Amino acid sequence: MSDEWTPDLLGEPFEQLELALGEDERGPLTATLVRSIPSWIAALGRPLSDVDVLYVHGWSDYFFQVELARFWNRLGARFYALDLRRYGRSLRDGQEPGYVSSLDEYDDDIGAAIEAMGPGSRRLVLLGHSTGGLTLTLWAARHPGRADAVVLNSPWLELQLGAVARQAIAPLVGVRARFDPLGPHPAVDLGFYSRAQRELEVLPVGEERVRWRPDMGFPTHPGWLAAIFEGHRRVAGGVEVGCPALVLLSARSTPPLNWSESMTASDSVLAVDEIARSAVRIGAMVTVARIDGAIHDVFLSRTVPRANAYAVTERWVRYALA
């Protein structure tokens, strides 16, 4: 395990650092922190020159969004992205991709990342996508005062079928999670979201993508789903992230039952109206922005909705951190 930053697969100016997280029954656990740091000259006079951004990806994903890092660097911020344990750069042979039995396990990943980002009085912006948005929401609520702002990109705050369905399903999932946590689940991802990204030409390329971001997602297991349901339950009961929060969502969803061209201009993963309703339960100061034409990752949408998402984020973060 190295304590030195090394060149990242994304090329300059990206560097990565492996974070040791101990071991489990399958061997060493690591997380991987990726950074893009503007020079002090480039950051001079920029509105976010005293800000660190920490990004956490979603389910069956990893960090590859170069444009996202450049956006924050242009504002003067230092950008960091965390590939959580058993994801992306941190996934090791023999591990169940993405598996945890509690989202609280990621406290170690996030804590190690923040320590590696360095001490000081710099302000912290948490930036989470999908499951990463749920993870960071719960982390911020458990660590009040640590973050100065939270930006959530289509966060998975509630089950697609809604709270009533989740409450009905959760006890059954809980029983399986106790007795067969790594048991199989039927495949629920038919690959339509990856197809939409391919048509938009935003799907990452490279040999690692097939393993780190498969078209039909990672296999899911009862233990993992129980952890997600517990996170949804906490949000439904109300949490407080302790700082201003921006929730970015598409204007509409398309059910992922059959392929439709509308999936290239809508969220084909989450039920965005359910997420919008849940968003007001994460804190006292929450802004919900609906981006017309956006896909599940609003920053990977077509040119116009993507530009709108960046413009909304810049206006909001300038105000929130003023």
Side-chain angles (χ1 to χ4, degrees), residues 33-101:
L33 191 63
V34 180
R35 71 179 181 182
S36 174
I37 307 295
S39 69
W40 71 268
I41 295 177
L44 190 63
R46 300 292 182 175
L48 304 186
S49 60
D50 65 337
V51 168
D52 288 339
V53 176
L54 178 60
Y55 171 81
V56 174
H57 55 80
W59 169 248
S60 197
D61 209 349
Y62 67 101
F63 172 68
F64 63 90
Q65 294 90 334
V66 170
E67 183 185 65
L68 183 64
R70 288 174 178 164
F71 163 78
W72 291 99
N73 287 166
R74 179 177 61 79
L75 295 174
R78 298 176 181 173
F79 181 87
Y80 297 85
L82 182 61
D83 277 11
L84 298 167
R85 62 181 68 189
R86 306 187 186 97
Y87 282 99
R89 298 164 179 83
S90 309
L91 181 61
R92 300 293 182 264
D93 291 340
Q95 294 180 339
E96 295 292 337
Y99 183 82
V100 288
S101 59

Side-chain angles (χ1 to χ4, degrees), residues 96-110:
E96 295 292 337
Y99 183 82
V100 288
S101 59
S102 169
L103 296 180
D104 294 0
E105 292 180 37
Y106 293 134
D107 280 17
D108 291 341
D109 305 53
I110 297 168

Side-chain angles (χ1 to χ4, degrees), residues 57-191:
H57 55 80
W59 169 248
S60 197
D61 209 349
Y62 67 101
F63 172 68
F64 63 90
Q65 294 90 334
V66 170
E67 183 185 65
L68 183 64
R70 288 174 178 164
F71 163 78
W72 291 99
N73 287 166
R74 179 177 61 79
L75 295 174
R78 298 176 181 173
F79 181 87
Y80 297 85
L82 182 61
D83 277 11
L84 298 167
R85 62 181 68 189
R86 306 187 186 97
Y87 282 99
R89 298 164 179 83
S90 309
L91 181 61
R92 300 293 182 264
D93 291 340
Q95 294 180 339
E96 295 292 337
Y99 183 82
V100 288
S101 59
S102 169
L103 296 180
D104 294 0
E105 292 180 37
Y106 293 134
D107 280 17
D108 291 341
D109 305 53
I110 297 168
I114 291 175
E115 181 178 356
M117 288 158 62
S121 58
R122 297 178 62 82
R123 293 180 290 176
L124 176 65
V125 173
L126 300 177
L127 173 61
H129 171 54
S130 199
T131 311
L134 174 63
T135 298
L136 287 180
T137 295
L138 298 174
W139 185 89
R142 291 195 304 274
H143 298 82
R146 295 293 300 276
D148 295 277
V150 172
V151 179
L152 304 177
N153 170 8
S154 302
W156 191 15
L157 301 178
E158 182 55 274
L159 186 66
Q160 288 84 330
L161 299 176
V164 173
R166 170 176 51 80
Q167 291 165 358
I169 299 170
L172 301 176
V173 172
V175 170
R176 282 204 67 198
R178 286 194 295 274
F179 294 103
D180 189 20
L182 290 172
H185 270 162
V188 294
D189 186 343
L190 302 179

Side-chain angles (χ1 to χ4, degrees), residues 218-232:
F218 294 149
T220 61
H221 305 282
W224 172 83
L225 188 56
I228 296 297
F229 279 3
E230 172 59 18
H232 291 166

Side-chain angles (χ1 to χ4, degrees), residues 233-254:
R233 185 194 65 79
R234 293 185 199 174
V235 170
V239 297
E240 175 55 67
V241 296
C243 59
L246 171 65
V247 178
L248 295 158
L249 298 168
S250 178
R252 60 190 61 84
S253 294
T254 298

